[in-house]
Amino acid sequence: MDIELMEIRDFLADHHPFDQLTEKALSELPAKLQIRYFRRDAAVPDTGRLPDHLYLIRTGAVELRGADGELLARLGEGDLFGYRASHIDEHSEIQGIAIEDTLVYQLAAGELDRMCSQNSQFAFFFGSAKKGRLRDAISFTAQADQNQINIMTTPIRELLRRRPISIPASASIMETARVMSEERVSSILICGGERLLGIVTDRDLRSRVVAKGLDHNLPVSQIMTETPSTLDSSDFAFEAQLHMARYNIHHLPVMDGDRVAGMLTATDLAKHQTTSAVYLVSDIYKQKSIQRMREVSAKIPELLVSLAAADATAMSAGHIITSITDAITTRLLQLAEEQLGPPPVPYAWVAAGSQAREEQTAKSDQDNCLVLDDAYDPARHGEYFKALATFVCDGLDSCGYIYCPGEMMAITDQWRQPLRTWKNYFSKWIDQPEPKALMLTCVFFDLRCIYGDQQLFRQLREHMLNKTRGNRIFLALMAGNALSHQPPLGFFRNFVLIKGGEHDHTFDLKHNG
């Protein structure tokens, strides 16, 4: 057997149900496969019907959508679809779409029928008796624990356990509290007909009514949070977790189009996950010292393991982990302002690098900068912002986000400047794109405002975009710089490792991943 067919045979042997085949059948199978390549956004298949062949994804990713366009599944390396594996019922028309450049092995239905007739264990996997179990049929091999859900693939609607509890805006605060008590809920929706107007939580009753001695007979509209943040019932549970973590909320109204479908709470998510980003973020905002924040941030690796066990994609996990970094950064800035007093001029704390891209892991260094209002005067305001930057950067390092080896941090004077100076930086880098300028733009083009005056950040971003829009020479140099880095992948997408030296048989995830 030639080496390419042997490599395909080994790949098949590692994936169910092909591991059920005899050695002879497994060795003969690679020669019967067609290798197909589909570019991103291409239909799969490009001819015929999906059940006419079985498709095994070697690299890339595919979405399966129903006749009316609803998302049925997202599949990746090692997943199967097509043949009988894709039907929900005999009349469903399912369409596959490559969501990235994808390589698949394709096997004709007739050949698969013959193999099934010769191997009962192999045939059972494709048996129509299991057609209702879509999760098995499309070859999701990871099985969720009975006490947990896969937050990456579970729609929010599956977590809603009761009808929405609501009350009109004209109801009194006392009536609202009575309904919440009777229904045993910690929050209630305020509606006008079927339209969502606001939300009231237990915390609102404590802080906005009891603590202020407010008249209980006033309408609840006076204490509700108006136009609350919402998600749709078709959104995935992980999106709800990320949303709650990012905005430090514990109650999230869920909509079905324009209609209120229910209320999702952080407790609902916590019941299904041993480690919750929502509760980690909530703990962070409660802390008064860096020592206590360090103890909370030490739980991040456990959260990452939990996300991996739930089949989280790298992008999803990165977003959730980054939401915790954002919370730590924000809390450190709040503590710094409590210690130093209010800032003398507006500022924006801006993240760069992996935090800006929302793709952090459990071990990341820090990349950040300060954009100050143009009213900034170094003589009068310099010491304040130097102290603030030092407090936050030292705090991040204490919480596990090590100092940037290249010193691209707000603690460095060069990266703690007024808006006009930042605009001059970018103008020079773009107009004179020598190697160091390209390196700096690669770092600082990934920017995201974490805390402070968003308008300062928007003005800088607008300046950057205006300078680069249509600048073909600069864009070509940036593209050439990006193409100088190659991922460590061989022809068959296997990892190419470093040969010899201190890092023999490894590869550098940061620079080549």
Side-chain angles (χ1 to χ4, degrees):
M1 183 184 295
D2 89 25
I3 191 163
E4 182 178 351
L5 294 180
M6 287 179 64
E7 200 276 339
I8 295 173
R9 180 249 175 238
D10 291 342
F11 180 80
L12 294 170
D14 286 339
H15 292 85
H16 190 70
F18 301 103
D19 57 354
Q20 300 296 316
L21 295 174
T22 64
E23 185 60 36
K24 181 175 183 296
L26 191 60
S27 297
E28 292 173 350
L29 181 55
K32 299 171 184 176
L33 298 173
Q34 285 183 279
I35 300 177
R36 299 292 311 281
Y37 178 78
F38 297 90
R39 287 197 173 276
R40 183 177 181 176
D41 297 327
V44 185
D46 47 359
T47 59
R49 297 172 58 253
L50 204 60
D52 293 342
H53 294 84
L54 178 72
Y55 299 87
L56 171 61
I57 300 175
R58 179 58 197 262
T59 61
V62 171
E63 282 186 351
L64 297 183
R65 293 187 174 272
D68 58 357
E70 82 273 21
L71 178 65
L72 301 177
R74 286 192 178 99
L75 310 178
E77 180 177 325
D79 286 330
L80 296 170
F81 63 102
Y83 189 58
R84 294 175 191 153
S86 290
H87 65 252
I88 301 172
D89 59 60
E90 297 297 332
H91 306 291
S92 290
E93 287 295 329
I94 294 179
Q95 177 68 51
I97 302 291
I99 56 177
E100 59 185 70
D101 291 349
T102 300
L103 186 72
V104 301
Y105 297 145
Q106 176 179 302
L107 183 64
E111 183 61 36
L112 194 57
D113 284 333
R114 187 189 63 78
M115 294 172 63
C116 287
S117 69
Q118 297 174 356
N119 187 313
S120 58
Q121 287 180 308
F122 185 78
F124 181 78
F125 181 87
F126 300 102
S128 60
K130 300 295 181 184
K131 73 169 99 173
R133 294 173 58 187
L134 179 63
R135 186 179 181 85
D136 289 341
I138 59 177
S139 186
F140 280 119
T141 55
Q143 298 297 315
D145 184 273
Q146 290 183 351
N147 295 321
Q148 293 198 357
I149 59 167
N150 186 331
I151 64 168
M152 300 302 141
T153 58
T154 301
I156 293 173
R157 70 169 69 90
E158 294 188 16
L159 302 185
L160 301 179
R161 293 290 179 259
R162 62 184 302 175
R163 62 180 177 82
I165 307 301
S166 64
I167 201 164
S170 58
S172 69
I173 293 172
M174 181 178 290
E175 174 68 7
T176 302
R178 185 185 64 77
V179 172
M180 290 173 66
S181 179
E182 289 177 354
E183 296 288 347
R184 303 181 71 178
V185 293
S186 58
S187 59
I188 192 166
L189 300 163
I190 312 302
C191 296
E194 292 194 351
R195 189 165 65 95
L196 178 63
L197 301 176
I199 181 177
V200 169
T201 68
D202 277 344
R203 181 181 296 179
D204 295 330
L205 293 175
R206 292 196 306 271
S207 61
R208 299 178 183 178
V209 181
V210 178
K212 294 184 177 180
L214 205 62
D215 184 354
H216 298 176
N217 294 311
L218 289 172
V220 70
S221 58
Q222 293 200 14
I223 66 162
M224 72 181 183
T225 299
E226 296 183 23
T227 58
S229 189
T230 66
L231 287 180
D232 193 81
S233 61
S234 62
D235 291 329
F236 291 118
F238 109 85
E239 295 175 89
Q241 185 184 61
L242 177 60
H243 195 85
M244 289 182 182
R246 180 170 290 154
Y247 297 106
N248 192 29
I249 58 177
H250 290 75
H251 301 85
L252 185 63
V254 179
M255 307 298 290
D256 184 1
D258 294 329
R259 185 182 63 83
V260 177
M263 180 80 80
L264 185 70
T265 69
T267 304
D268 295 327
L269 287 172
K271 287 177 182 176
H272 300 284
Q273 282 207 294
T274 56
T275 307
S276 168
V278 181
Y279 279 97
L280 285 183
V281 169
S282 179
D283 278 351
I284 288 164
Y285 280 112
K286 293 174 184 174
Q287 304 313 320
K288 297 289 187 181
S289 70
I290 292 176
Q291 170 62 33
R292 292 289 297 157
M293 291 178 66
R294 182 165 59 238
E295 293 172 7
V296 177
S297 66
K299 299 176 183 177
I300 293 175
E302 182 185 349
L303 171 61
L304 195 56
V305 169
S306 177
L307 292 170
D311 291 338
T313 64
M315 183 175 70
S316 303
H319 280 203
I320 290 174
I321 296 300
T322 305
S323 71
I324 297 171
T325 310
D326 290 353
I328 291 172
T329 305
T330 299
R331 186 58 183 148
L332 286 169
L333 285 160
Q334 291 171 346
L335 292 174
E337 289 185 7
E338 288 177 13
Q339 185 178 109
L340 300 171
V345 297
Y347 73 90
W349 183 278
V350 179
S354 59
Q355 185 180 359
R357 295 189 301 272
E358 299 184 83
E359 57 181 39
Q360 287 198 301
T361 63
K363 290 289 183 182
S364 296
D365 63 351
Q366 52 177 293
D367 297 290
N368 47 60
C369 59
L370 264 177
V371 180
L372 306 169
D373 189 88
D374 281 339
Y376 170 76
D377 178 353
R380 291 189 295 148
H381 310 141
E383 286 304 313
Y384 177 94
F385 286 108
K386 183 176 182 178
L388 180 135
T390 301
F391 181 92
V392 176
C393 291
D394 287 352
L396 287 170
D397 178 71
S398 181
C399 290
Y401 303 93
I402 62 172
Y403 299 116
C404 173
E407 298 186 342
M408 292 182 181
M409 301 174 290
I411 202 171
T412 304
D413 293 346
Q414 185 180 3
W415 311 128
R416 190 177 66 253
Q417 294 293 333
L419 177 62
R420 60 179 177 274
T421 302
W422 277 104
K423 287 182 177 179
N424 289 335
Y425 284 164
F426 280 100
S427 294
K428 182 178 178 181
W429 296 337
I430 294 164
D431 293 338
Q432 303 172 36
E434 40 89 19
K436 184 176 180 180
L438 288 172
M439 182 273 290
L440 290 170
T441 51
C442 283
V443 173
F444 285 115
F445 267 34
D446 289 326
L447 294 178
R448 188 165 57 87
C449 184
I450 305 300
Y451 184 85
D453 190 337
Q454 290 279 349
Q455 186 58 30
L456 284 172
F457 173 72
R458 282 193 286 269
Q459 289 180 56
L460 178 59
R461 176 56 60 86
E462 185 177 344
H463 174 77
M464 293 159 50
L465 294 177
N466 287 337
K467 288 289 294 182
T468 54
R469 189 178 290 115
N471 190 331
R472 293 189 175 186
I473 294 176
F474 173 76
L475 294 175
L477 289 168
M478 283 285 285
N481 189 49
L483 290 172
S484 67
H485 300 278
Q486 294 293 326
L489 297 174
F491 181 77
F492 293 110
R493 303 292 290 270
N494 55 311
F495 292 125
V496 176
L497 305 179
I498 296 169
K499 293 182 180 179
E502 180 185 357
H503 302 293
D504 189 33
H505 283 84
T506 65
F507 68 91
D508 190 330
L509 275 173
K510 181 175 178 65
H511 293 100
N512 295 324

